[in-house]
């Protein structure tokens, strides 16, 4: 069996650190301050109510929540969670520039729970 000394582990640790930093950098999206978010919403030309109406109109569902979000492709707009006729939750992105409503795929949606998933902090005693 080969023994590892602290000196032989240094290149491995450095490589892991560089790879980790590179990976972390690809997953970050620029967060807006409250003031920047307010300015972006004002400049978008679309209100939250208009975005909810657009998403409900296209899907036929009922909006449960909505907010100003990054679509992970560099565009900011409204993300609207819709409960459809079968009580399934779907997330839709409303582009304020074009009014386009597009479904957010599971891989794009980094928040929330999957259907039927419970919170871990529930007391089941």
């Amino acid at each position: 069996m080969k023994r590892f000394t602290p000196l032989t582990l240094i290149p491995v640790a450095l490589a892991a650190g560089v790879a980790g930093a590179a990976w972390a950098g690809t997953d970050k999206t620029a967060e807006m301050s409250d003031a920047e978010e307010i300015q972006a919403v004002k400049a978008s030309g679309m209100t939250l109510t208009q975005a909810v109406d657009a998403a409900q109109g296209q899907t036929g569902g009922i909006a449960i929540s909505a907010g100003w979000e990054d679509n992970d492709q560099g565009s900011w707009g409204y993300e609207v969670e819709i409960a459809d006729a079968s009580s399934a939750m779907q997330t839709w992105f409303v582009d304020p520039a074009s009014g386009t409503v597009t479904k957010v795929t599971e891989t794009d949606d980094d928040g929330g729970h999957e259907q039927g998933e419970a919170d871990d902090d529930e007391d089941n005693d």
Side-chain angles (χ1 to χ4, degrees):
M1 180 164 88
K2 185 174 182 180
R3 294 187 73 201
F4 291 99
T5 65
L7 291 177
T8 59
L9 294 177
I10 290 173
V12 173
L14 288 174
V18 170
W23 175 80
T26 60
D27 194 33
K28 289 185 178 180
T29 56
E31 289 294 319
M32 288 186 178
S33 69
D34 288 345
E36 290 171 327
E37 191 170 324
I38 291 166
Q39 290 299 337
V41 169
K42 286 181 177 179
S44 77
M46 178 181 276
T47 66
L48 179 65
T49 302
Q50 291 169 326
V52 168
D53 288 346
Q56 288 181 146
Q58 179 164 324
T59 65
I62 299 170
I64 301 297
S65 69
W68 185 255
E69 299 288 336
D70 179 357
N71 71 352
D72 295 331
Q73 297 171 15
S75 296
W76 286 85
Y78 295 98
E79 194 170 272
V80 183
E81 289 188 17
I82 299 284
D84 65 16
S86 67
S87 297
M89 292 293 292
Q90 297 178 357
T91 304
W92 295 82
F93 183 81
V94 181
D95 182 339
S98 65
T100 304
V101 180
T102 55
K103 187 172 182 181
V104 176
T105 62
E106 276 186 47
T107 56
D108 293 337
D109 189 15
D110 58 3
H113 295 291
E114 296 299 317
Q115 184 177 352
E117 184 179 358
D119 286 332
D120 291 335
D121 59 346
E122 287 183 27
D123 189 10
N124 293 327
D125 291 320

